[in-house]
Amino acid sequence: MKISINRLKKYLALTESPEEIGALLTRSGLEVEGIEEFESVPGGLQGIVIGEVLTCEKHPDADKLSLTTVDIGSAIVPIVCGAPNVAKGQKVLVATVGAKLFPTESEPFEIKKAKIRGQVSEGMICAEDEIGLGKSHAGIMVLDTNLANGTPASEYVEVAQDNILEIGLTPNRADAASHLGVARDLKALLGREICLDSEQDLKVETSGPQISVEIQNSADCPRYSGVVITDLTIGPSPQWLQNFLRSLDLEPINNVVDITNFILHDLGQPLHAFDADRISEGKIIVGKLPKGTPFVTLDDKERKLSGEELMICDPKGGLCIGGIFGGKGSGVSDSTKTIFLESAYFSPDVIRKGSQFHGLKTDASFRFERGTDPNMPVYALKQAVKLLQEFAGGKVCSEIIDLYPERVQDFVIQVTYGHINRLIGKKIDPSEVKSILESLDIRVENETEAGFRAIVKPYRVDVTREADIIEEVLRIHGFHQVELSENLSTDYLAEHPVKDLNKLQYRLSEILAGLGYFELITNSLTKPSYVEKSGFLDASQSVEIYNKLSEDLGVMRQTLLFSGLEVLAHNINRRQTDLKCFEFGTIYSKGETGYLENRRLAIFHSGNRSAESWIEQSKAFAFADIYSIVEKILEKLNIEPSAISIVESAPFTYGLHLKSGEKELGTIGLVDEKMLKLAEVRQEVWFADLNWDLLCKKALGLKKYQEISKFPEVRRDLSLVIDKAVSYDQVKSVAEKAGGKLLRKIGVFDVYQGDKIDPSKKAYALSFHLQDQENTLTDKVIDKTMSRLIQAFENEVGALIRT
């Protein structure tokens, strides 16, 4: 859930930084997972200034170009301009050299000093579409301003800037699924008052259609409110409202729909606007339709009703799946003049069943199925009407309809101070308890020395028991303020299971053995000559044996490589040439503080990966084989390398180095011929040397599995032409960052290097598998995700996208 800091400031006087606000909310149970910066104009017009055209002449070698000199405050610069309306004396917006522009309908680019038809150009005079301010490319923007040359463009064009909190909302905190809900928590945490717009009575301003409402079962719909508004002009929303919605990753549609979305995210009350002229006989019926009834929703899909979902109907049939999704035939269009605006409180159970049956997860159903505030519908309705009057020219033509046959009662909870102190583990002063609860809109009554009665408003669906009241006190008081007693027994603390390293090693050994690997157990004593002749081991770190049995067993091994190569040589000399082996072993060295031991996992490949047969020819082991098995091991242990770099030093001819943070996970590669000669091995060997101690520390246990998503996976392919120096790991990292949680898997199905592209380039054909765990992906979401990926590839790895 996204929350705007600017909007929170409308409710509270906030002087704290976004990071401080995020820390406060996280401490109180609303975990802030991230903070993003939002700018209404991408790039914030950085590097763009106001300039004045001093001279303007025709380009000597191009009919449609002009040579200008422009005063940009800090300098007078030459600019070649192709706009037909450029002229001397104009005030214009100039993108200076180094500025990055974000055009409305094309990809971002950087302004560079250039020569255009032989003439130097040091900047660009901008049209509105070139800097993301509109879609017109008819000519440059000519400004009517007295601002000095060199003034940043952001001082002329208002750029809305905001910080957006990404909150991981838990299912029980339905009350916090809005800006008002988050502001309520901040009110309690900071001890400041909330500023709410007053509730004013609506007056009927003109005559118009009248709507009657019938609720067939008040248990499904305890409260239903609405009002008719006419003389509407459907059009774009004001810029502040569009900016607010875009900051929450919502696309503005029109003033009526945008206002309903604003109220939903601001107050937590979903609204729905029906075209009143499409409501048959001027009557709304809230009830259920027979099982199997077809109904076309706003996304143009025909759905068969289950008979259990709540429907908003007129006498002719369904208009909307109540609290979930609107109908195609009753929605607001550009020609709409009169609407019936609905604001209701629906039963969470009936909304949840309907949402799950149809697989529809909307912003409205998200809130209704968790429980909204039954006292909010009329207030939210009045706030929306005020905005519709101001920004859509609407006039109220009916009294507010408010059917509320049986009022939802407050929760009444008896609380004792003894239980508060026992469960929290600390004595909290009764006056602080009362102050915290009242700051959370929980009324305290019948107070005695032993306890009190708490009256909780029904929007707090998660506070129904004494333990819930105590939790509210604790989260505002602060978990960090509850000290752990010195004599506190571990019986009171959750125990974390200790990793059984032997079990982890045994399970991994089973997996490798099942894949056809043989386990090696070799001697920890080895030849000193390996250290002296290998060139990559340090003789000063060798642990020497004082009473040597022989010179060949004079030192402790610093690597598992040579003991493993000796085993390979023994087998190869006996015509066992196709080998897959692994060893868990310890290596030894001397450090400044004494002797060091480190457990390693070594993997060896040599010869052919499969025996020759009539089905297929034998193939020699390659780098992909050893890398693949290391990938499998890391995947089983739930470890993701943070960095991968190329290795071209002993003991490898070439290979890869894997890191986790600043620590080495291991190295994979082709063993250098010099090392093979030392152990008398006469065929290629692929070797992986993994830091088993670090793997055990980082391991999250063997991989866990989850149910297959019921929502379909979508595949999209891209072909990228990139520099040969760019690794696949870089491409993958960029994709994972840009693709976000929707990107489930990335695959490479072709790599090309040849005469059809630049010799310094290579081409990757990549597959991207997208899936949402909660919704079926729409074409719009898929296209937006792929656009983000394309832009990231172009900007971060200099890719050329081939179609």
Side-chain angles (χ1 to χ4, degrees):
M1 183 184 71
K2 293 183 182 292
I3 293 293
S4 158
I5 293 287
N6 286 350
R7 187 60 195 169
L8 288 178
K9 289 178 179 178
K10 300 291 184 181
Y11 285 111
L12 290 154
L14 293 176
T15 56
E16 290 76 12
S17 69
E19 290 72 23
E20 290 169 330
I21 293 170
L24 274 173
L25 291 172
T26 299
R27 196 183 78 195
S28 70
L30 294 179
E31 184 180 0
V32 175
E33 298 175 338
I35 302 174
E36 302 173 357
E37 290 186 359
F38 168 78
E39 293 173 326
S40 58
V41 180
L45 301 180
Q46 293 293 316
I48 302 174
V49 299
I50 291 175
E52 183 177 353
V53 180
L54 302 180
T55 65
C56 180
E57 300 173 355
K58 285 292 181 184
H59 193 295
D61 298 320
D63 293 339
K64 294 184 179 181
L65 297 180
S66 300
L67 302 180
T68 68
T69 54
V70 184
D71 182 357
I72 59 171
S74 59
I76 295 173
V77 295
I79 297 177
V80 178
C81 181
N85 64 328
V86 65
K88 178 181 176 181
Q90 292 173 334
K91 286 275 194 171
V92 293
L93 290 180
V94 180
T96 57
V97 173
K100 189 171 185 179
L101 303 191
F102 295 80
T104 303
E105 295 182 344
S106 58
E107 299 303 320
F109 63 94
E110 186 176 323
I111 297 297
K112 298 178 180 178
K113 183 177 179 179
K115 274 194 173 183
I116 301 174
R117 296 287 182 93
Q119 301 295 323
V120 173
S121 184
E122 297 182 11
M124 185 174 85
I125 305 175
C126 302
E128 66 177 43
D129 69 321
E130 293 168 331
I131 53 178
L133 291 178
K135 295 185 177 180
S136 172
H137 195 68
I140 59 170
M141 294 178 66
V142 180
L143 312 182
D144 181 12
T145 180
N146 293 320
L147 289 172
N149 298 334
T151 302
S154 57
E155 293 185 21
Y156 176 79
V157 178
E158 185 178 350
V159 178
Q161 295 182 318
D162 200 353
N163 288 280
I164 306 300
L165 305 178
E166 181 71 52
I167 295 179
L169 196 65
T170 52
N172 63 313
R173 289 302 307 275
D175 65 293
S178 66
H179 286 74
L180 175 59
V182 174
R184 285 179 180 137
D185 265 19
L186 288 172
K187 168 194 170 187
L189 290 164
L190 297 170
R192 296 172 195 164
E193 287 304 312
I194 281 183
C195 177
L196 267 177
D197 289 341
S198 59
E199 184 174 347
Q200 297 177 347
D201 292 334
L202 293 183
K203 296 179 180 179
V204 176
E205 301 171 278
T206 187
S207 60
Q210 299 298 301
I211 303 293
S212 63
V213 176
E214 175 191 336
I215 300 175
Q216 293 181 343
N217 184 353
S218 61
D220 292 338
C221 178
R223 187 175 191 179
Y224 192 91
S225 308
V227 68
V228 182
I229 304 165
T230 192
D231 291 347
L232 290 163
T233 301
I234 306 298
S237 298
Q239 196 60 51
W240 68 265
L241 180 50
Q242 293 189 41
N243 291 339
F244 173 78
L245 294 175
R246 287 194 177 104
S247 73
L248 305 184
D249 280 347
L250 298 173
E251 197 61 37
I253 298 172
N254 60 50
N255 45 9
V256 173
V257 176
D258 292 352
I259 286 168
T260 62
N261 282 332
F262 171 76
I263 294 296
L264 181 146
H265 288 276
D266 190 43
L267 299 177
Q269 175 63 50
L271 305 177
H272 190 73
F274 298 91
D275 188 325
D277 294 330
R278 299 183 182 184
I279 300 175
S280 177
E281 301 178 25
K283 185 174 183 179
I284 290 286
I285 302 168
V286 183
K288 295 179 180 178
L289 292 176
K291 182 178 181 180
T293 301
F295 180 71
V296 180
T297 46
L298 280 171
D299 56 359
D300 283 325
K301 289 184 179 179
E302 182 177 284
R303 303 174 190 273
K304 300 292 185 183
L305 301 183
S306 69
E308 295 299 318
E309 61 276 272
L310 193 63
M311 296 295 296
I312 311 301
C313 311
D314 63 15
K316 288 187 176 179
L319 301 174
C320 167
I321 304 177
I324 301 174
F325 209 26
K328 181 71 176 175
S330 62
V332 174
S333 66
D334 291 344
S335 61
T336 298
K337 295 297 180 185
T338 305
I339 64 168
F340 175 70
L341 188 61
E342 167 197 278
S343 182
Y345 171 67
F346 296 121
S347 164
D349 291 342
V350 74
I351 300 301
R352 189 179 303 114
K353 288 176 184 176
S355 174
Q356 289 179 342
F357 178 81
H358 292 289
L360 288 170
K361 297 291 182 182
T362 61
D363 286 336
S365 70
F366 177 86
R367 287 157 179 81
F368 278 132
E369 67 185 33
R370 285 162 173 78
T372 55
D373 183 359
N375 298 320
M376 180 60 74
V378 171
Y379 177 80
L381 201 61
K382 290 178 178 179
Q383 297 305 310
V385 169
K386 282 201 302 185
L387 294 171
L388 289 167
Q389 289 171 328
E390 183 176 357
F391 299 115
K395 293 180 181 178
V396 177
C397 66
S398 79
E399 298 288 348
I400 286 182
I401 300 163
D402 186 22
L403 300 185
Y404 197 8
E406 188 175 340
R407 188 177 182 83
V408 178
Q409 298 300 313
D410 295 341
F411 302 115
V412 179
I413 305 166
Q414 198 64 39
V415 185
T416 64
Y417 291 118
H419 287 166
I420 292 175
N421 297 333
R422 179 179 63 83
L423 289 181
I424 291 178
K426 173 184 180 181
K427 186 173 181 179
I428 298 179
D429 190 272
S431 62
E432 184 182 352
V433 171
K434 183 178 180 181
S435 174
I436 288 173
L437 292 178
E438 289 180 344
S439 71
L440 290 168
D441 293 336
I442 298 173
R443 200 166 71 250
V444 174
E445 292 183 349
N446 296 359
E447 197 174 0
T448 66
E449 289 185 5
F452 57 88
R453 184 169 66 191
I455 310 299
V456 184
K457 293 182 178 180
Y459 72 78
R460 287 307 305 270
V461 293
D462 61 321
V463 182
T464 58
R465 306 168 300 161
E466 183 183 23
D468 299 328
I469 292 287
I470 295 169
E471 183 184 356
E472 292 300 291
V473 172
L474 176 56
R475 70 184 188 86
I476 300 303
H477 175 75
F479 291 91
H480 63 292
Q481 294 198 69
V482 179
E483 305 84 3
L484 290 179
S485 163
E486 289 183 4
N487 59 0
L488 186 64
S489 166
T490 55
D491 292 344
Y492 297 94
L493 296 176
E495 293 184 3
H496 296 280
V498 177
K499 289 179 187 173
D500 187 336
L501 302 185
N502 290 327
K503 183 178 179 181
L504 202 61
Q505 178 177 326
Y506 178 73
R507 289 292 303 278
L508 201 55
S509 298
E510 278 189 323
I511 291 168
L512 290 170
L515 292 170
Y517 286 78
F518 292 96
E519 183 171 6
L520 309 181
I521 301 175
T522 59
N523 198 339
S524 297
L525 301 176
T526 191
K527 298 177 183 178
S529 60
Y530 288 146
V531 178
E532 296 163 5
K533 298 178 181 179
S534 65
F536 74 97
L537 299 174
D538 188 348
S540 66
Q541 293 184 5
S542 290
V543 178
E544 296 186 15
I545 305 301
Y546 288 132
N547 299 312
K548 303 174 185 176
L549 296 175
S550 71
E551 284 301 321
D552 282 347
L553 301 174
V555 295
M556 305 290 281
R557 62 188 175 193
Q558 291 187 46
T559 174
L560 299 183
L561 173 62
F562 293 109
S563 55
L565 288 178
E566 288 175 354
V567 174
L568 297 187
H570 180 83
N571 281 270
I572 292 167
N573 291 338
R574 287 156 182 78
R575 300 185 182 277
Q576 302 301 313
T577 56
D578 301 334
L579 299 164
K580 294 196 299 184
C581 307
F582 71 95
E583 178 176 11
F584 289 95
T586 304
I587 61 173
Y588 308 85
S589 60
K590 283 192 298 189
E592 294 179 1
T593 56
Y595 295 109
L596 304 173
E597 295 185 10
N598 179 229
R599 300 187 70 217
R600 315 290 289 191
L601 167 58
I603 300 172
F604 298 89
H605 284 182
S606 189
N608 294 324
R609 64 183 178 188
S610 59
E612 187 177 17
S613 74
W614 63 274
I615 298 174
E616 62 178 350
Q617 292 183 346
S618 59
K619 292 182 180 179
F621 280 113
F623 179 80
D625 299 307
I626 191 89
Y627 185 76
S628 174
I629 194 63
V630 170
E631 259 193 333
K632 282 188 174 71
I633 291 169
L634 295 179
E635 184 183 356
K636 288 291 181 186
L637 298 175
N638 286 338
I639 298 173
E640 182 76 28
S642 61
I644 301 178
S645 56
I646 295 173
V647 173
E648 293 181 345
S649 57
F652 299 101
T653 303
Y654 62 86
L656 292 179
H657 188 65
L658 312 180
K659 295 182 77 174
S660 176
E662 294 300 316
K663 295 184 179 179
E664 168 246 347
L665 276 177
T667 314
I668 315 162
L670 178 65
V671 178
D672 190 271
E673 209 171 302
K674 178 182 175 183
M675 309 303 144
L676 299 179
K677 286 180 180 178
L678 290 175
E680 298 182 357
V681 176
R682 295 177 179 83
Q683 64 185 45
E684 278 189 349
V685 176
W686 300 91
F687 174 54
D689 180 21
L690 304 178
N691 186 339
W692 182 243
D693 282 338
L694 184 60
L695 291 179
C696 289
K697 185 177 178 181
K698 294 284 184 183
L700 300 175
L702 294 174
K703 197 169 185 69
K704 295 181 180 179
Y705 298 89
Q706 63 186 29
E707 183 182 359
I708 295 173
S709 174
K710 63 181 179 180
F711 300 105
E713 183 178 276
V714 176
R715 170 175 166 159
R716 291 290 185 271
D717 297 340
L718 283 179
S719 179
L720 314 181
V721 178
I722 53 177
D723 289 337
K724 285 184 177 178
V726 177
S727 67
Y728 170 69
D729 187 58
Q730 288 174 269
V731 174
K732 183 180 178 183
S733 176
V734 170
E736 288 173 341
K737 182 179 175 184
K741 65 179 182 180
L742 296 183
L743 184 60
R744 310 297 294 175
K745 187 171 65 176
I746 308 165
V748 183
F749 59 89
D750 192 26
V751 179
Y752 175 78
Q753 297 180 69
D755 56 4
K756 293 183 180 179
I757 59 174
D758 191 296
S760 65
K761 305 284 186 182
K762 61 184 175 183
Y764 280 164
L766 304 176
S767 63
F768 300 90
H769 299 260
L770 309 175
Q771 189 177 43
D772 193 329
Q773 295 296 314
E774 297 182 354
N775 295 293
T776 300
L777 290 173
T778 63
D779 289 339
K780 183 177 179 181
V781 173
I782 295 167
D783 292 343
K784 186 176 179 181
T785 303
M786 294 308 298
S787 294
R788 275 204 315 270
L789 286 166
I790 289 170
Q791 185 173 332
F793 288 139
E794 289 175 338
N795 293 343
E796 298 188 36
V797 295
L800 172 66
I801 310 299
R802 299 174 68 187
T803 56

